[in-house]
Amino acid sequence: MEPHPLRGPVRRIAACASALALALGTAACTGGDDEQPAPETPSATPSASADAAPEASDGGGDVSDADLSAATDRFLGFLGVIDDQDWEAACGYVLDPGTGTAPEGERLQQCADGARGAMADYEEMLGPGVFDQLEASMVQAEPAADGTISLSLLEQPVEIPMTRGDDGQWYLSIPF
């Protein structure tokens, strides 16, 4: 099988996308330090993500091919708004376990402000169209036993699972 013609450059983009998603997850969407004392150290507790995911996906553990496709599309949508540096829109792809859907109101603003700060070091990598080369065939979505979906982009794991929200949409499962 021949490698994808964009494999080298896209592999670097995939690694960057995974790093950006993880940076957003660990630094941006954890709420304010003065606001929420519960999640001690979100960036150092991999089990926090696992703890948050089952809560939102309690409606069913069966993941269909349509779910895998929808999660893939949502992940690509997330990357599309990240490269545009639209932090409020990026936070719309993140599950707020308190509501079972995307954050709204003050929580959305906290997430967007945190994302903006967390991504400041990556600004030179971001710009409109950076992730436009990515397509659904480059994303591998696999169901997990807990009803979440694990993603990888050109065989580069994305360390944040996706979970079904109460509204039926798929979200990145980042603990608040």
PDB file of all heavy atoms in Angstrom, residues 11-45:
ATOM      1  N   ARG A  11       1.610  14.304   8.802  1.00  0.00           N
ATOM      2  CA  ARG A  11       1.986  13.638  10.059  1.00  0.00           C
ATOM      3  C   ARG A  11       2.437  14.691  11.068  1.00  0.00           C
ATOM      4  O   ARG A  11       2.093  14.627  12.239  1.00  0.00           O
ATOM      5  CB  ARG A  11       3.080  12.598   9.831  1.00  0.00           C
ATOM      6  CG  ARG A  11       3.433  11.817  11.092  1.00  0.00           C
ATOM      7  CD  ARG A  11       4.408  10.703  10.797  1.00  0.00           C
ATOM      8  NE  ARG A  11       3.787   9.527  10.263  1.00  0.00           N
ATOM      9  CZ  ARG A  11       3.099   8.642  10.990  1.00  0.00           C
ATOM     10  NH1 ARG A  11       2.927   8.835  12.259  1.00  0.00           N
ATOM     11  NH2 ARG A  11       2.580   7.577  10.432  1.00  0.00           N
ATOM     12  N   ARG A  12       3.222  15.677  10.618  1.00  0.00           N
ATOM     13  CA  ARG A  12       3.636  16.759  11.515  1.00  0.00           C
ATOM     14  C   ARG A  12       2.423  17.565  11.965  1.00  0.00           C
ATOM     15  O   ARG A  12       2.315  17.943  13.131  1.00  0.00           O
ATOM     16  CB  ARG A  12       4.660  17.659  10.827  1.00  0.00           C
ATOM     17  CG  ARG A  12       6.036  17.022  10.732  1.00  0.00           C
ATOM     18  CD  ARG A  12       7.087  17.994  10.231  1.00  0.00           C
ATOM     19  NE  ARG A  12       6.851  18.449   8.873  1.00  0.00           N
ATOM     20  CZ  ARG A  12       7.205  17.791   7.777  1.00  0.00           C
ATOM     21  NH1 ARG A  12       7.812  16.623   7.880  1.00  0.00           N
ATOM     22  NH2 ARG A  12       6.954  18.276   6.591  1.00  0.00           N
ATOM     23  N   ILE A  13       1.506  17.819  11.050  1.00  0.00           N
ATOM     24  CA  ILE A  13       0.282  18.547  11.393  1.00  0.00           C
ATOM     25  C   ILE A  13      -0.544  17.737  12.381  1.00  0.00           C
ATOM     26  O   ILE A  13      -1.096  18.277  13.338  1.00  0.00           O
ATOM     27  CB  ILE A  13      -0.528  18.887  10.121  1.00  0.00           C
ATOM     28  CG1 ILE A  13       0.222  19.945   9.304  1.00  0.00           C
ATOM     29  CG2 ILE A  13      -1.925  19.366  10.466  1.00  0.00           C
ATOM     30  CD1 ILE A  13      -0.358  20.178   7.924  1.00  0.00           C
ATOM     31  N   ALA A  14      -0.601  16.409  12.166  1.00  0.00           N
ATOM     32  CA  ALA A  14      -1.357  15.547  13.073  1.00  0.00           C
ATOM     33  C   ALA A  14      -0.766  15.582  14.471  1.00  0.00           C
ATOM     34  O   ALA A  14      -1.495  15.671  15.464  1.00  0.00           O
ATOM     35  CB  ALA A  14      -1.377  14.114  12.539  1.00  0.00           C
ATOM     36  N   ALA A  15       0.544  15.506  14.562  1.00  0.00           N
ATOM     37  CA  ALA A  15       1.188  15.566  15.875  1.00  0.00           C
ATOM     38  C   ALA A  15       0.906  16.915  16.530  1.00  0.00           C
ATOM     39  O   ALA A  15       0.623  16.992  17.724  1.00  0.00           O
ATOM     40  CB  ALA A  15       2.691  15.330  15.737  1.00  0.00           C
ATOM     41  N   CYS A  16       0.953  17.965  15.734  1.00  0.00           N
ATOM     42  CA  CYS A  16       0.650  19.301  16.245  1.00  0.00           C
ATOM     43  C   CYS A  16      -0.800  19.371  16.714  1.00  0.00           C
ATOM     44  O   CYS A  16      -1.085  19.904  17.787  1.00  0.00           O
ATOM     45  CB  CYS A  16       0.906  20.334  15.156  1.00  0.00           C
ATOM     46  SG  CYS A  16       0.455  22.012  15.597  1.00  0.00           S
ATOM     47  N   ALA A  17      -1.718  18.818  15.934  1.00  0.00           N
ATOM     48  CA  ALA A  17      -3.138  18.839  16.295  1.00  0.00           C
ATOM     49  C   ALA A  17      -3.375  18.108  17.608  1.00  0.00           C
ATOM     50  O   ALA A  17      -4.117  18.580  18.470  1.00  0.00           O
ATOM     51  CB  ALA A  17      -3.980  18.214  15.181  1.00  0.00           C
ATOM     52  N   SER A  18      -2.728  16.955  17.770  1.00  0.00           N
ATOM     53  CA  SER A  18      -2.873  16.202  19.015  1.00  0.00           C
ATOM     54  C   SER A  18      -2.326  16.989  20.191  1.00  0.00           C
ATOM     55  O   SER A  18      -2.940  17.041  21.257  1.00  0.00           O
ATOM     56  CB  SER A  18      -2.149  14.860  18.906  1.00  0.00           C
ATOM     57  OG  SER A  18      -2.769  14.060  17.931  1.00  0.00           O
ATOM     58  N   ALA A  19      -1.172  17.611  19.999  1.00  0.00           N
ATOM     59  CA  ALA A  19      -0.577  18.416  21.070  1.00  0.00           C
ATOM     60  C   ALA A  19      -1.461  19.599  21.419  1.00  0.00           C
ATOM     61  O   ALA A  19      -1.645  19.937  22.595  1.00  0.00           O
ATOM     62  CB  ALA A  19       0.813  18.895  20.656  1.00  0.00           C
ATOM     63  N   LEU A  20      -2.036  20.236  20.406  1.00  0.00           N
ATOM     64  CA  LEU A  20      -2.909  21.379  20.654  1.00  0.00           C
ATOM     65  C   LEU A  20      -4.166  20.960  21.404  1.00  0.00           C
ATOM     66  O   LEU A  20      -4.598  21.642  22.333  1.00  0.00           O
ATOM     67  CB  LEU A  20      -3.279  22.067  19.345  1.00  0.00           C
ATOM     68  CG  LEU A  20      -2.151  22.822  18.662  1.00  0.00           C
ATOM     69  CD1 LEU A  20      -2.610  23.325  17.301  1.00  0.00           C
ATOM     70  CD2 LEU A  20      -1.644  23.959  19.514  1.00  0.00           C
ATOM     71  N   ALA A  21      -4.749  19.837  21.004  1.00  0.00           N
ATOM     72  CA  ALA A  21      -5.944  19.358  21.697  1.00  0.00           C
ATOM     73  C   ALA A  21      -5.626  19.055  23.153  1.00  0.00           C
ATOM     74  O   ALA A  21      -6.390  19.407  24.064  1.00  0.00           O
ATOM     75  CB  ALA A  21      -6.503  18.116  21.000  1.00  0.00           C
ATOM     76  N   LEU A  22      -4.487  18.425  23.391  1.00  0.00           N
ATOM     77  CA  LEU A  22      -4.098  18.112  24.755  1.00  0.00           C
ATOM     78  C   LEU A  22      -3.795  19.377  25.548  1.00  0.00           C
ATOM     79  O   LEU A  22      -4.196  19.508  26.704  1.00  0.00           O
ATOM     80  CB  LEU A  22      -2.889  17.170  24.760  1.00  0.00           C
ATOM     81  CG  LEU A  22      -2.509  16.581  26.099  1.00  0.00           C
ATOM     82  CD1 LEU A  22      -3.674  15.819  26.716  1.00  0.00           C
ATOM     83  CD2 LEU A  22      -1.311  15.662  25.945  1.00  0.00           C
ATOM     84  N   ALA A  23      -3.115  20.346  24.928  1.00  0.00           N
ATOM     85  CA  ALA A  23      -2.822  21.605  25.624  1.00  0.00           C
ATOM     86  C   ALA A  23      -4.106  22.328  25.982  1.00  0.00           C
ATOM     87  O   ALA A  23      -4.257  22.859  27.089  1.00  0.00           O
ATOM     88  CB  ALA A  23      -1.937  22.492  24.750  1.00  0.00           C
ATOM     89  N   LEU A  24      -5.050  22.336  25.059  1.00  0.00           N
ATOM     90  CA  LEU A  24      -6.335  22.967  25.342  1.00  0.00           C
ATOM     91  C   LEU A  24      -7.009  22.250  26.499  1.00  0.00           C
ATOM     92  O   LEU A  24      -7.525  22.882  27.416  1.00  0.00           O
ATOM     93  CB  LEU A  24      -7.234  22.939  24.107  1.00  0.00           C
ATOM     94  CG  LEU A  24      -8.624  23.517  24.287  1.00  0.00           C
ATOM     95  CD1 LEU A  24      -8.551  25.009  24.594  1.00  0.00           C
ATOM     96  CD2 LEU A  24      -9.458  23.278  23.042  1.00  0.00           C
ATOM     97  N   GLY A  25      -6.949  20.940  26.472  1.00  0.00           N
ATOM     98  CA  GLY A  25      -7.592  20.160  27.521  1.00  0.00           C
ATOM     99  C   GLY A  25      -6.983  20.340  28.883  1.00  0.00           C
ATOM    100  O   GLY A  25      -7.693  20.435  29.879  1.00  0.00           O
ATOM    101  N   THR A  26      -5.677  20.418  28.947  1.00  0.00           N
ATOM    102  CA  THR A  26      -5.042  20.492  30.253  1.00  0.00           C
ATOM    103  C   THR A  26      -4.988  21.890  30.814  1.00  0.00           C
ATOM    104  O   THR A  26      -4.964  22.062  32.027  1.00  0.00           O
ATOM    105  CB  THR A  26      -3.618  19.916  30.207  1.00  0.00           C
ATOM    106  OG1 THR A  26      -2.863  20.645  29.256  1.00  0.00           O
ATOM    107  CG2 THR A  26      -3.631  18.451  29.875  1.00  0.00           C
ATOM    108  N   ALA A  27      -4.991  22.895  29.963  1.00  0.00           N
ATOM    109  CA  ALA A  27      -4.811  24.249  30.476  1.00  0.00           C
ATOM    110  C   ALA A  27      -6.011  25.158  30.291  1.00  0.00           C
ATOM    111  O   ALA A  27      -6.237  26.042  31.099  1.00  0.00           O
ATOM    112  CB  ALA A  27      -3.598  24.883  29.807  1.00  0.00           C
ATOM    113  N   ALA A  28      -6.782  24.958  29.252  1.00  0.00           N
ATOM    114  CA  ALA A  28      -7.784  25.950  28.908  1.00  0.00           C
ATOM    115  C   ALA A  28      -9.139  25.720  29.543  1.00  0.00           C
ATOM    116  O   ALA A  28      -9.794  26.660  29.950  1.00  0.00           O
ATOM    117  CB  ALA A  28      -7.949  26.002  27.400  1.00  0.00           C
ATOM    118  N   CYS A  29      -9.563  24.513  29.605  1.00  0.00           N
ATOM    119  CA  CYS A  29     -10.952  24.252  29.977  1.00  0.00           C
ATOM    120  C   CYS A  29     -11.075  23.648  31.357  1.00  0.00           C
ATOM    121  O   CYS A  29     -11.897  22.775  31.585  1.00  0.00           O
ATOM    122  CB  CYS A  29     -11.593  23.357  28.928  1.00  0.00           C
ATOM    123  SG  CYS A  29     -11.723  24.180  27.346  1.00  0.00           S
ATOM    124  N   THR A  30     -10.282  24.109  32.268  1.00  0.00           N
ATOM    125  CA  THR A  30     -10.333  23.562  33.616  1.00  0.00           C
ATOM    126  C   THR A  30     -11.062  24.476  34.572  1.00  0.00           C
ATOM    127  O   THR A  30     -11.062  24.242  35.762  1.00  0.00           O
ATOM    128  CB  THR A  30      -8.907  23.311  34.141  1.00  0.00           C
ATOM    129  OG1 THR A  30      -8.193  24.543  34.088  1.00  0.00           O
ATOM    130  CG2 THR A  30      -8.210  22.250  33.340  1.00  0.00           C
ATOM    131  N   GLY A  31     -11.682  25.528  34.069  1.00  0.00           N
ATOM    132  CA  GLY A  31     -12.327  26.503  34.939  1.00  0.00           C
ATOM    133  C   GLY A  31     -11.260  27.370  35.563  1.00  0.00           C
ATOM    134  O   GLY A  31     -10.076  27.173  35.338  1.00  0.00           O
ATOM    135  N   GLY A  32     -11.639  28.347  36.314  1.00  0.00           N
ATOM    136  CA  GLY A  32     -10.667  29.230  36.940  1.00  0.00           C
ATOM    137  C   GLY A  32     -10.144  28.641  38.231  1.00  0.00           C
ATOM    138  O   GLY A  32     -10.836  27.913  38.916  1.00  0.00           O
ATOM    139  N   ASP A  33      -8.892  28.957  38.591  1.00  0.00           N
ATOM    140  CA  ASP A  33      -8.318  28.483  39.850  1.00  0.00           C
ATOM    141  C   ASP A  33      -9.146  28.971  41.032  1.00  0.00           C
ATOM    142  O   ASP A  33      -9.361  28.275  41.988  1.00  0.00           O
ATOM    143  CB  ASP A  33      -6.882  28.991  40.024  1.00  0.00           C
ATOM    144  CG  ASP A  33      -5.931  28.308  39.064  1.00  0.00           C
ATOM    145  OD1 ASP A  33      -6.240  27.180  38.629  1.00  0.00           O
ATOM    146  OD2 ASP A  33      -4.890  28.914  38.755  1.00  0.00           O
ATOM    147  N   ASP A  34      -9.633  30.221  40.922  1.00  0.00           N
ATOM    148  CA  ASP A  34     -10.418  30.784  42.013  1.00  0.00           C
ATOM    149  C   ASP A  34     -11.858  30.305  41.987  1.00  0.00           C
ATOM    150  O   ASP A  34     -12.577  30.475  42.950  1.00  0.00           O
ATOM    151  CB  ASP A  34     -10.380  32.315  41.941  1.00  0.00           C
ATOM    152  CG  ASP A  34     -10.853  32.841  40.600  1.00  0.00           C
ATOM    153  OD1 ASP A  34     -10.834  32.080  39.617  1.00  0.00           O
ATOM    154  OD2 ASP A  34     -11.235  34.001  40.528  1.00  0.00           O
ATOM    155  N   GLU A  35     -12.272  29.684  40.941  1.00  0.00           N
ATOM    156  CA  GLU A  35     -13.661  29.296  40.751  1.00  0.00           C
ATOM    157  C   GLU A  35     -13.959  27.891  41.255  1.00  0.00           C
ATOM    158  O   GLU A  35     -14.964  27.651  41.874  1.00  0.00           O
ATOM    159  CB  GLU A  35     -13.990  29.390  39.264  1.00  0.00           C
ATOM    160  CG  GLU A  35     -15.439  29.180  38.928  1.00  0.00           C
ATOM    161  CD  GLU A  35     -16.238  30.455  39.019  1.00  0.00           C
ATOM    162  OE1 GLU A  35     -15.662  31.540  39.093  1.00  0.00           O
ATOM    163  OE2 GLU A  35     -17.471  30.342  39.029  1.00  0.00           O
ATOM    164  N   GLN A  36     -13.077  26.906  40.935  1.00  0.00           N
ATOM    165  CA  GLN A  36     -13.409  25.518  41.187  1.00  0.00           C
ATOM    166  C   GLN A  36     -12.249  24.758  41.811  1.00  0.00           C
ATOM    167  O   GLN A  36     -11.299  24.431  41.130  1.00  0.00           O
ATOM    168  CB  GLN A  36     -13.790  24.838  39.878  1.00  0.00           C
ATOM    169  CG  GLN A  36     -14.916  25.585  39.218  1.00  0.00           C
ATOM    170  CD  GLN A  36     -15.690  24.688  38.318  1.00  0.00           C
ATOM    171  OE1 GLN A  36     -15.395  23.518  38.191  1.00  0.00           O
ATOM    172  NE2 GLN A  36     -16.695  25.232  37.709  1.00  0.00           N
ATOM    173  N   PRO A  37     -12.330  24.411  43.080  1.00  0.00           N
ATOM    174  CA  PRO A  37     -11.238  23.711  43.736  1.00  0.00           C
ATOM    175  C   PRO A  37     -11.207  22.208  43.466  1.00  0.00           C
ATOM    176  O   PRO A  37     -10.229  21.568  43.751  1.00  0.00           O
ATOM    177  CB  PRO A  37     -11.508  23.968  45.222  1.00  0.00           C
ATOM    178  CG  PRO A  37     -12.983  24.168  45.304  1.00  0.00           C
ATOM    179  CD  PRO A  37     -13.383  24.783  44.002  1.00  0.00           C
ATOM    180  N   ALA A  38     -12.245  21.612  42.940  1.00  0.00           N
ATOM    181  CA  ALA A  38     -12.342  20.157  42.840  1.00  0.00           C
ATOM    182  C   ALA A  38     -11.252  19.484  42.011  1.00  0.00           C
ATOM    183  O   ALA A  38     -10.605  18.571  42.494  1.00  0.00           O
ATOM    184  CB  ALA A  38     -13.716  19.766  42.330  1.00  0.00           C
ATOM    185  N   PRO A  39     -11.015  19.830  40.743  1.00  0.00           N
ATOM    186  CA  PRO A  39     -10.036  19.077  39.967  1.00  0.00           C
ATOM    187  C   PRO A  39      -8.609  19.502  40.289  1.00  0.00           C
ATOM    188  O   PRO A  39      -8.079  20.408  39.687  1.00  0.00           O
ATOM    189  CB  PRO A  39     -10.387  19.374  38.516  1.00  0.00           C
ATOM    190  CG  PRO A  39     -11.164  20.631  38.535  1.00  0.00           C
ATOM    191  CD  PRO A  39     -11.716  20.778  39.933  1.00  0.00           C
ATOM    192  N   GLU A  40      -7.970  18.796  41.206  1.00  0.00           N
ATOM    193  CA  GLU A  40      -6.666  19.168  41.737  1.00  0.00           C
ATOM    194  C   GLU A  40      -5.642  19.554  40.677  1.00  0.00           C
ATOM    195  O   GLU A  40      -5.240  20.691  40.592  1.00  0.00           O
ATOM    196  CB  GLU A  40      -6.117  18.027  42.589  1.00  0.00           C
ATOM    197  CG  GLU A  40      -6.951  17.788  43.818  1.00  0.00           C
ATOM    198  CD  GLU A  40      -7.029  16.330  44.169  1.00  0.00           C
ATOM    199  OE1 GLU A  40      -6.352  15.493  43.536  1.00  0.00           O
ATOM    200  OE2 GLU A  40      -7.780  15.999  45.082  1.00  0.00           O
ATOM    201  N   THR A  41      -5.205  18.619  39.856  1.00  0.00           N
ATOM    202  CA  THR A  41      -4.208  18.901  38.823  1.00  0.00           C
ATOM    203  C   THR A  41      -4.647  18.236  37.530  1.00  0.00           C
ATOM    204  O   THR A  41      -4.215  17.135  37.228  1.00  0.00           O
ATOM    205  CB  THR A  41      -2.825  18.345  39.242  1.00  0.00           C
ATOM    206  OG1 THR A  41      -2.596  18.663  40.605  1.00  0.00           O
ATOM    207  CG2 THR A  41      -1.732  18.928  38.377  1.00  0.00           C
ATOM    208  N   PRO A  42      -5.494  18.892  36.731  1.00  0.00           N
ATOM    209  CA  PRO A  42      -6.036  18.250  35.545  1.00  0.00           C
ATOM    210  C   PRO A  42      -4.973  17.745  34.576  1.00  0.00           C
ATOM    211  O   PRO A  42      -5.146  16.730  33.963  1.00  0.00           O
ATOM    212  CB  PRO A  42      -6.883  19.323  34.882  1.00  0.00           C
ATOM    213  CG  PRO A  42      -6.975  20.445  35.831  1.00  0.00           C
ATOM    214  CD  PRO A  42      -5.954  20.237  36.896  1.00  0.00           C
ATOM    215  N   SER A  43      -3.838  18.447  34.440  1.00  0.00           N
ATOM    216  CA  SER A  43      -2.837  18.035  33.471  1.00  0.00           C
ATOM    217  C   SER A  43      -2.068  16.795  33.918  1.00  0.00           C
ATOM    218  O   SER A  43      -1.430  16.157  33.121  1.00  0.00           O
ATOM    219  CB  SER A  43      -1.856  19.179  33.202  1.00  0.00           C
ATOM    220  OG  SER A  43      -1.196  19.536  34.390  1.00  0.00           O
ATOM    221  N   ALA A  44      -2.144  16.453  35.190  1.00  0.00           N
ATOM    222  CA  ALA A  44      -1.366  15.326  35.681  1.00  0.00           C
ATOM    223  C   ALA A  44      -2.230  14.135  36.066  1.00  0.00           C
ATOM    224  O   ALA A  44      -1.726  13.152  36.566  1.00  0.00           O
ATOM    225  CB  ALA A  44      -0.548  15.754  36.896  1.00  0.00           C
ATOM    226  N   THR A  45      -3.532  14.204  35.851  1.00  0.00           N
ATOM    227  CA  THR A  45      -4.395  13.116  36.261  1.00  0.00           C
ATOM    228  C   THR A  45      -5.130  12.524  35.069  1.00  0.00           C
ATOM    229  O   THR A  45      -6.206  12.952  34.709  1.00  0.00           O
ATOM    230  CB  THR A  45      -5.431  13.590  37.298  1.00  0.00           C
ATOM    231  OG1 THR A  45      -6.138  14.687  36.738  1.00  0.00           O
ATOM    232  CG2 THR A  45      -4.779  13.985  38.600  1.00  0.00           C
TER     233      THR A  45
END
